[in-house]
Amino acid sequence: MLYYNIDKPSRKVSLVEAVMRSASEERALYMPEKIPSLDSSFFEHFSEMTLQETAYRVTEPVFGEDIPAEELRNIIERALNFDIPLVKLFPDIYVLELFHGPTFAFKDVGARFLAGMLDYFAGSINNEIKVLVATSGDTGGAVANAFAGKKNIKVVILYPSGRVSFIQEQQLTKAGENILALEIKGDFDDCQKLVKQAFADSKLNEEIVLTSANSINFARLFPQSVYYFYSFAQLKKNDYPVVFSVPSGNFGNLTAGLIAKRMGLPAVKFIASTNINRSVPLYLESGKFVPHHSFPTISNAMDVGNPSNFRRILDLYSNDIEKIRADISGFWFTDEKTRQAMKELYTRYSYIADPHTAVAYLGLKEYMKNNSCTGIFLATAHPGKFPEEVEKTLDKQVTLPVSHKTTSYSHHRKMAADYRLLREILKSSF
Ligand SMILES: *Cc1c(COP(=O)(O)O)cnc(C)c1O
């Protein structure tokens, strides 16, 4: 399978390149040249399959030419070693809980799959890979945990000093010996600038194999298609039609749903549910895409004014807005509405949702006002990750299911936002 960069479609690259290069070419969005349809035997048997088997059957047609079957199965077993339950709240309303991974957010799915894949590539190119990533909090934790202990890979994570929560800092600094957390005296933009400088440093990139674990990476995005099939398979024919409501920021999760549909998933509709960072719902309404600076909200992992995967969606539908509207409806909500939804979920269904999940519920409800269907809304984070907001809104204490496991080992340095220092660290074998 070859991959094209949607900005330069004529130049095609291998999977290894598409996965490794999404670092060096800024905002390079790769897509596979074909999106295969799954065969009917898959749909006849998918309701009997485990999550891991579903994952294999969905990813094999895309990755199978580049990764041997046994390796792909290994990657899946290690990456998806947690449950993704579909919880029924009401006869026609379900919530798909994507937050049972080690860092309690759906980003574990993509980050763990990518880690397994890079580990396999590192072995096959016989070289150590260095992964560099800047984080404002959540992504870093999922990446650190996913790559911990991978022996051919070293990870450097930059985070802004004093701007991440205690739990997040623990997840970053105590993940494992191959993960080095650099606390940068500066803000998130300073961190990101340093990362960009490193990727633009061609001399450095000749000396070491440097890559990124950012969320536009296709190997992080595509495995998320799996849980759309897995959850759909648990419904019965008389539940159809089925819609998914996806709480969206960078739109990787929703794009994975659209790819699933292209592979044959018979979902009728996807709902792009956002907070006031609403450039995509407004696009669906007006036909014009106007990116904006991000506004802070209580569902802060979705505070994205210019979602990077939006262009992937345009590409998938050849820029045809009518076709896009046929598959996606969009709604956006204020923090006040989000808090009301958290209360409603709790009083009606005794369900405690985090703010991101509550936005997805709102989008589904809005859609179901005028359409009869079975709705699945995606729960992207455990409420215990946002204890202050949940306690303030529901007057109820929430905790994470287990105290977060970290090693006693701390691999952490505090440094100025100085590229020369970062460069030395990347060249060393820390
Ligand atoms: C990242 C994130 C999102 C947004 O996902 P995208 O794929 O960027 O749209 C939603 N909820 C939570 C909790 C997240 O961490």
Side-chain angles (χ1 to χ4, degrees), residues 348-368:
R348 269 195 204 170
Y349 310 114
S350 307
Y351 192 78
I352 302 177
D354 94 288
H356 304 79
T357 305
V359 169
Y361 170 68
L362 283 169
L364 181 63
K365 264 198 8 175
E366 197 60 38
Y367 180 80
M368 287 174 86

Side-chain angles (χ1 to χ4, degrees), residues 105-107 138 215 224 247-254 301-302 309 354 356 380-381 386:
F106 92 102
K107 292 199 171 64
D138 257 7
S215 64
Q224 297 168 351
S248 295
N250 241 333
F251 281 78
N253 202 358
L254 191 112
M302 311 189 328
N309 285 300
D354 94 288
H356 304 79
T380 46
F386 301 89

Side-chain angles (χ1 to χ4, degrees), residues 1 34 36-39 55-65 72 222 263:
M1 180 76 81
K34 297 194 286 291
S37 304
L38 298 178
D39 54 49
Y56 178 75
R57 299 284 294 265
V58 171
T59 56
E60 195 280 333
V62 175
F63 292 147
E65 286 170 19
L72 186 57
F222 173 55
M263 294 176 83

Side-chain angles (χ1 to χ4, degrees), residues 318-350:
S318 313
N319 289 296
D320 184 337
I321 185 159
E322 290 315 322
K323 286 197 187 127
I324 296 176
R325 282 176 175 148
D327 283 359
I328 313 173
S329 292
F331 303 105
W332 61 273
F333 304 94
T334 60
D335 281 352
E336 197 195 326
K337 285 261 189 233
T338 306
R339 290 197 182 99
Q340 280 170 12
M342 290 165 72
K343 286 188 188 139
E344 183 174 310
L345 279 164
Y346 188 54
T347 51
R348 269 195 204 170
Y349 310 114
S350 307

